Amino acid sequence: DVKVTQSSRYLVKRTGEKVFLECVQDMDHENMFWYRQDPGLGLRLIYFSYDVKMKEKGDIPEGYSVSREKKERFSLILESASTNQTSMYLCASTRQAEAFFGQGTRLTVV
Amino acid sequence: AQRVTQPEKLLSVFKGAPVELKCNYSYSGSPELFWYVQYSRQRLQLLLRHISRESIKGFTADLNKGETSFHLKKPFAQEEDSAMYYCALSSPSGGYNKLIFGAGTRLAVHP
């Protein structure tokens, strides 16, 4: 079974903090993705990575950055958290275009 | 630009009624299309993909390139089908696959 694990289920951070969301997959997938999930907006792609140290912007990269130093780990970084970044964040890795998702991190910025 | 449109935010039906969740896409090449489902308190998971042409949990979806649609259908809805459904498009680009999702449709099946 493919496993995609996000480090936290719930996070509460203050405005202006630097926030790290971690994601680890155990199936040697090359492609990994970060989405945010908001009611009525669906899943919007923030960033994706197709190899170690390689990254591409998605549709809403502003205010975010990513890091992929090892194949199994893909980190999402909020440089200076803002209240409009309160959301559910989903990580996924893909095999033959099929996505396997983590359980999600619900981030609240106060 | 690649886009996936799900026009209905909520679809409410009674048990035993037919269900059709609509999905339209815009993409200039030959896309690969998927339906993902998220049940309450569970992670998002693949329901079916168009290239497999199989029926999963009684659901089917046919790719109509002329209408650029990939609607999800089930002849008789069950209460356990209540969930959030997302249509997704995978577009190969530069050796990797970018995966784009629609806004989702919540299916509520009432007894």
Side-chain angles (χ1 to χ4, degrees), chain B residues 2 7 18 40 52 71 75 78 81 90 93 99 104:
Chain B
Q2 305 147 14
S40 179
S52 63
H71 303 327
Q78 303 298 315
D81 296 329
S90 176
S93 173
L99 193 57

Side-chain angles (χ1 to χ4, degrees), chain B residues 15-108:
Chain B
K15 177 182 172 181
V19 168
E20 183 178 57
L21 287 80
K22 291 184 168 42
C23 172
N24 289 90
Y25 66 91
S26 61
Y27 180 63
S28 56
S30 293
E32 190 166 358
L33 287 149
F34 304 80
W35 278 98
Y36 283 81
V37 60
Q38 189 169 29
Y39 301 103
S40 179
R41 296 195 176 89
Q42 294 187 27
R43 62 183 69 192
L44 201 59
Q45 59 187 287
L46 178 68
L47 179 63
L48 54 80
R49 60 198 300 176
H50 88 271
I51 60 170
S52 63
R53 295 180 170 271
E54 55 188 350
S55 172
I56 305 292
K57 298 186 179 183
F59 285 97
T60 58
D62 291 319
L63 177 60
N64 185 324
K65 290 187 178 179
E67 295 183 359
T68 59
S69 68
F70 187 56
H71 303 327
L72 183 68
K73 299 177 184 178
K74 185 169 183 176
F76 307 104
Q78 303 298 315
E79 288 179 70
E80 55 265 30
D81 296 329
S82 295
M84 196 74 185
Y85 291 80
Y86 293 95
C87 183
L89 177 155
S90 176
S91 60
S93 173
Y96 51 85
N97 288 320
K98 186 176 177 181
L99 193 57
I100 301 294
F101 286 80
T105 298
R106 179 166 297 284
L107 175 64

Side-chain angles (χ1 to χ4, degrees), chain A residues 50-64:
Chain A
Y50 51 94
D51 203 348
V52 174
K53 296 191 188 295
M54 306 303 285
K55 60 187 179 185
E56 288 286 333
K57 292 181 180 179
D59 298 318
I60 52 163
E62 297 78 19
Y64 303 94

Side-chain angles (χ1 to χ4, degrees), chain A residues 67-78:
Chain A
S67 172
R68 189 144 181 226
E69 297 295 320
K70 293 184 178 181
K71 195 173 188 178
E72 66 271 18
R73 186 179 296 272
F74 190 35
S75 303
L76 180 69
I77 303 156
L78 285 67

